[in-house]
Amino acid sequence: MNENPREIDEIAGDEVMGMLGASPDDDRSYSDDGYITNYNQEQPPFKEEKATPLYEWKDITKDFFVAIEDLALGELMHHELFGLFEAMSAIEMMDPKMDAGMCCKKEKPLRFHTAVSTGQLKLDNLTPAELLGIIDSIYACVVSWLEGHSLAQTLFTCLYMHFPHAIEEKPLKAFCICVFKVVWYIREFIQHAAVYEEEDFQPSTFAYTLYPDVSDAKTCAMLKEAEEELARRAKAHPEVAEIFGFVTCRVKFARILLQIFMHLWRMKTTSLTEPEMNDIVRQLGSLADIVPVMRRSVERGTQPDHTSDAPNPMGFSPMVNQRLLPPTFPRYTRIKERHESINFLEELIQRLRLACKVTGCTHFYTALNFFMDFSKKSGQCLLSRSMLRFIYLNHVRVSSFTDYLKESARIFIAPPVLMSRTALATNAQARECVESFFNYTPNMHTMYVFLQICGYNRARQRDKLARLLEEFAKLQQEAQRLDTYLYMQDAKPETTSQYLACFGTWVLYQCLRAMELYLLSGLELELYSIHEYLYIFWYLYEFLFGWIVSALTRAESFLVDQDCIVDPGKASTSAAKTSRKTKSKKKKGKPYFREILYNQALQNVCGGFYKGLTGFVKDGRINQPAAMFDNEKIRFDHRFAPFACLKTPPMVPHFEFRLMRSHLLKLSSSELYLAAAKHFHQGRTILESIPNPDPEMLDILRVTKVNFVVMNLLANGHKKESKAQPEFDFSYHRYFPVIKQQ
C-alpha cells in the first residue's frame, strides 16, 4: 500500500470528480465526502486539520425569566414573525428525539481520508477474510436499502463507496463500481414502475452520483479481470484458496446481476425476444446456484463487532452521513444480518424468474390474474413487484394496450362486434364505436390503473382500490351505453338480444374482482374487529361471490351461444361424429368451469363463517363494543362506503343486514353451528372436485376441514357453557381463519 495517503487522494482526485459529474478543471470544490461545498472558491478536496471555531457564549437565563414575568402559566406570546410553524421548529431543533443532527451516541463520524491516513481503512493488500467481510456487508447494505431505508444510512455508510476509484485492490474496486451501477439500475426500475410509496422506498441519493464514469461494458470487463485475479491468487496461496473462491463467487454474482439488469433495461426501447428472455431466466438460474455457496461461506469473512452498529469492523462508518439527513425524527437503521440478506437475495432471484413469465400473458385477463397471484407471493419486496410491471408494460407497450383490452373482452365473453363472420363485425359504425370505447383515455386508464395497483404493497392496494371503484362506476356507464348502441345497430335483434350486456358483463366482472380484493384485504391487514367479521362474511356470502358466479356463468353461456351462431355446421351428422364433437364442445363450452367452482367454494366458506359467527353471537361468545360508544350502522356504512358509488351491483344497505340477521337469530345456536358445518363441508367437497388444485386452494381446503370439525363439535354441545371468545387463526390462510374454541 502507498505510504502517503495524501498522494493517493491527489492521484484519484480527477477520477473522483469525474465520477461525481464534474471535470478536473471545474471551479467547484468538494468535501472529503464527495459533496460540493463551494461553487466559486477553489478549495482542496479535504483538510486534515481544521481550525477550532471561537464562540462567545452569553448567559441569557436571567434576562429570559425577567421577560416572561408578565406571562401566566401556559400563556404564549404571539408575534407576526414568530408563528406556529416557527414555534414548532424551535421546539424540534437541538432535541435529540427530533433533530437528526443531535445524535445521542456522540460517536464521531469517520471520514474516508481520515480513515486512510490513520490506517483504519486499507486500500490495498486486503486479506481474503477482509474482502469477504466487506463484500458481504455491502450486500447487506443494499438489501437494507431495498427494505425502505435511505442510501445515506445504508450503502453510503461504506467508506469504500465514497471514492471507489481510489481503491487499489482490484477485486474490491471493480465490485464497488459494479454496486454503483446495480443500485442505479434498481433505482431506475423502481421509479419507472412507480408502484412505491414513501414507506417502501427512498429514492433520494443525497448528492451521491450513482453512475460513475465507467461504461457498463468496462465494468463487466473489470469484474472479469477481478475474477481472474482472484483465481491467480488462489493458485499462488493454496492455504487460502477456498476463501478466494468464495470471494470470486460474490464478484461473479454481482457481474451476472448487472448483466441481467442491463438486458432488461433494453426493454425500455426494444422488446426482448423469447430467446433473450429465456437467456435472462438461465442467468437467474446461475445466480440461484451461487447463493448456496455464499450462504455456506458467510462465516468465513470478518464478522461485525457486537459493540458497534457498523456491519463490518473495517470500511464502515454509520454516522458519516448523519448531517445529510433532514431535521426530523432520527430513524435508527440497523443493517440487515448477513444470513438474512442472502436469504433475501435468494428469494428475490426466484421472484424475478417468476416475473419473467409474465411475457407469456397474451391478454389483460391473464395478466391481471398473474399480477394478483404475484402480489400475494412477493410480499413486501418492492424490486420484484417493480420488475414485474416494468417487464410487462415494456413488453406490451402502452400504445398497444388497447389491443390487449380488446383481446381480453373477446376471449372473456366474445362480443359479436369483435368476432369475425358476424353482422356487427362488418358494421363500420359499430366498429368505430367500439374503437372509441377502448381508446377513450379514462376507460383505458381505469384498466391500466387496476393492473398498476396490483404492484403496490398490500396496504396501499386497499386504499387505491377504494378510489378505483369510482372510476369503475363511470366505466360501467360507458359500457352500458355501448351495449345499447350495438343492440340498436344489429340487423337481427331477435338473435342478439342475449348479447345486450357483453361489454357491461366484462366490465362488471373486473369491478367485482376489485370489490372482492378490497374486502378480503381488510382481513389480511387485520383492519376489522372480531365483532365486524359477521357483516363482512355476510356481504361476501350473500352478495359478492354470488354476483361473481353469475357474471362468469353469463359469460360462459355467451361463449357457447356465440360458438353455435358463428359455426352452425357444428351440429353432428353421424353418431360417431356427434359423440366426438359433443365431448369437444363440452370441454370448450365450459371455459370458466374451474373458476366458477372455486368461487362457489369461497361462497360456501364465507357462508360457514357467517352462520358460525351468528351462533357465537347467539351464545354471547363475541365481545361487543360498549353500547354508549357504538353505532353499528356507522361502522357498516364506513366499511362498505367505496361501494356506494356503484350502481351495479348496488350497495346493500344496513337495514337489510339487520333484517337477515334477526331472521337467522331465531334459530338455536346448535342449528346455526350445524348450518355452518354444512357450508364448510360443501366448500370442502367443491374444492376436492377441482382438478390440479393450486397451493392456495389446498390451504383453504385445510381450513374447511378443521372448521367443519369445530362446528360439528359445537353443534353437539361441546363447551356449551363457555363464554370465552373464539380465536381466529390466520396462519393457515391470509383471508380465511381457523376457528379455535378454548
Side-chain angles (χ1 to χ4, degrees), residues 494-522:
E494 67 279 359
T495 61
T496 57
S497 58
Q498 54 190 327
Y499 304 129
L500 182 59
C502 284
F503 290 100
T505 303
W506 175 66
V507 173
L508 173 63
Y509 177 67
Q510 312 303 334
C511 179
L512 290 170
R513 298 196 70 186
M515 295 170 68
E516 173 196 354
L517 185 59
Y518 176 82
L519 284 183
L520 292 177
S521 62

Side-chain angles (χ1 to χ4, degrees), residues 393-408:
L393 292 182
N394 284 283
H395 177 71
V396 171
R397 303 292 174 191
V398 177
S399 58
S400 61
F401 191 70
T402 55
D403 297 332
Y404 276 75
L405 291 180
K406 284 189 288 187
E407 182 67 11
S408 171

Side-chain angles (χ1 to χ4, degrees), residues 52-122:
T52 304
L54 299 177
Y55 298 103
E56 295 183 3
W57 297 101
K58 181 179 180 182
D59 188 357
I60 62 168
T61 306
K62 183 182 292 185
D63 296 336
F64 174 76
F65 281 106
V66 170
I68 64 171
E69 286 179 350
D70 296 334
L71 295 177
L73 184 63
E75 187 177 0
L76 298 175
M77 181 179 292
H78 176 72
H79 190 272
E80 60 181 3
L81 298 179
F82 193 81
L84 178 61
F85 179 80
E86 288 79 12
M88 293 300 296
S89 301
I91 293 171
E92 292 176 4
M93 287 192 304
M94 308 297 289
D95 184 352
K97 295 189 297 298
M98 297 299 292
D99 191 346
M102 299 297 295
C103 181
C104 299
K105 292 190 176 182
K106 304 297 181 184
E107 179 182 344
K108 186 177 180 181
L110 182 65
R111 308 289 179 179
F112 178 86
H113 303 291
T114 305
V116 172
S117 61
T118 57
Q120 299 180 61
L121 193 69
K122 294 168 63 176

Side-chain angles (χ1 to χ4, degrees), residues 85-343:
F85 179 80
E86 288 79 12
M88 293 300 296
S89 301
I91 293 171
E92 292 176 4
M93 287 192 304
M94 308 297 289
D95 184 352
K97 295 189 297 298
M98 297 299 292
D99 191 346
M102 299 297 295
C103 181
C104 299
K105 292 190 176 182
K106 304 297 181 184
E107 179 182 344
K108 186 177 180 181
L110 182 65
R111 308 289 179 179
F112 178 86
H113 303 291
T114 305
V116 172
S117 61
T118 57
Q120 299 180 61
L121 193 69
K122 294 168 63 176
L123 299 181
D124 198 5
N125 299 325
L126 277 78
T127 66
E130 289 173 338
L131 274 175
L132 201 63
I134 292 170
I135 291 175
D136 280 346
S137 299
I138 291 176
Y139 275 126
C141 288
V142 173
V143 170
S144 301
W145 171 58
L146 288 175
E147 291 195 334
H149 298 290
S150 66
L151 278 171
Q153 291 180 293
T154 53
L155 182 61
F156 290 125
T157 61
C158 178
L159 300 179
Y160 287 109
M161 298 300 297
H162 292 197
F163 292 93
H165 290 287
I167 303 172
E168 298 179 12
E169 185 74 32
K170 287 184 178 180
L172 183 59
K173 177 179 180 178
F175 178 79
C176 289
I177 292 176
C178 176
V179 169
F180 264 107
K181 289 188 170 292
V182 167
V183 169
W184 182 86
Y185 276 116
I186 290 174
R187 183 171 175 269
E188 292 299 312
F189 282 131
I190 291 176
Q191 289 191 315
H192 188 274
V195 289
Y196 68 92
E197 296 289 345
E198 59 182 0
E199 68 268 19
D200 293 320
F201 182 67
Q202 297 188 35
S204 175
T205 60
F206 297 92
Y208 285 97
T209 300
L210 296 181
Y211 209 82
D213 54 345
V214 181
S215 66
D216 291 342
K218 185 177 180 181
T219 302
C220 292
M222 291 173 64
L223 291 167
K224 268 289 188 184
E225 292 176 5
E227 293 176 37
E228 295 170 358
E229 173 75 16
L230 291 168
R232 286 194 294 269
R233 293 185 189 180
K235 290 181 180 179
H237 304 280
E239 67 280 2
V240 290
E242 187 181 21
I243 304 182
F244 275 122
F246 295 146
V247 177
T248 304
C249 286
R250 286 154 171 78
V251 175
K252 183 179 179 181
F253 186 95
R255 175 176 59 82
I256 296 176
L257 188 63
L258 175 60
Q259 290 173 342
I260 290 171
F261 288 158
M262 287 163 50
H263 292 320
L264 289 174
W265 187 248
R266 283 173 44 211
M267 296 184 70
K268 194 173 179 183
T269 54
T270 307
S271 297
L272 298 183
T273 62
E274 185 176 351
E276 289 175 325
M277 291 301 300
N278 292 336
D279 185 58
I280 290 175
V281 173
R282 182 189 57 78
Q283 289 180 311
L284 287 169
S286 301
L287 291 182
D289 295 336
I290 296 175
V291 169
V293 181
M294 295 173 63
R295 182 184 292 108
R296 188 172 65 249
S297 58
V298 73
E299 303 293 342
R300 302 294 296 274
T302 54
Q303 299 300 308
D305 186 357
H306 296 292
T307 62
S308 173
D309 292 334
N312 197 65
M314 183 177 67
F316 291 82
S317 177
M319 300 297 296
V320 68
N321 296 317
Q322 191 69 12
R323 290 292 179 179
L324 296 180
L325 302 179
T328 181
F329 182 77
R331 300 178 180 89
Y332 174 71
T333 300
R334 185 175 184 83
I335 304 301
K336 206 168 182 66
E337 297 276 343
R338 296 183 187 180
H339 279 291
E340 295 177 0
S341 302
I342 293 175
N343 291 338

